[in-house]
Amino acid sequence: HPQKTRAFIAEGDSMIGANINDGDVVFIDTRYREPAMLEKKIVMVTVNNSTTLKRLVAFHKGNKVFYEL
């Protein structure tokens, strides 16, 4: 969806395993915000005023679902 897509330049090498290299152009679809819809997907998040790309992973503990990057 063109109005909800943003382009960014990747910096660093933390996502080489996902074939995202330093200097690559990364397109982000901003329509999806629910963690359940994004499980196992690569997401862009801001932590401590720093934006990063990571894979969102869910794990279950009892009847609760937790997400980690």
Side-chain angles (χ1 to χ4, degrees):
H1 193 274
Q3 295 175 338
K4 297 292 182 175
T5 301
R6 304 288 182 262
F8 299 91
I9 304 293
E11 294 180 7
D13 59 4
S14 68
M15 295 301 294
I16 286 177
N19 204 27
I20 299 173
N21 299 295
D22 187 54
D24 284 353
V25 177
V26 178
F27 293 92
I28 303 294
D29 186 337
T30 62
R31 293 178 291 171
Y32 304 104
R33 298 194 182 269
E34 292 298 319
M37 296 175 69
L38 297 169
E39 185 177 352
K40 298 182 182 176
K41 301 271 192 288
I42 296 170
V43 297
M44 178 180 275
V45 296
T46 301
V47 179
N48 296 330
N49 294 321
S50 179
T51 302
T52 187
L53 295 173
K54 297 293 177 197
R55 188 172 303 278
L56 186 67
V57 178
F59 64 95
H60 302 268
K61 188 173 183 180
N63 63 348
K64 295 185 178 182
V65 179
F66 298 89
Y67 294 93
E68 69 180 12
L69 301 171

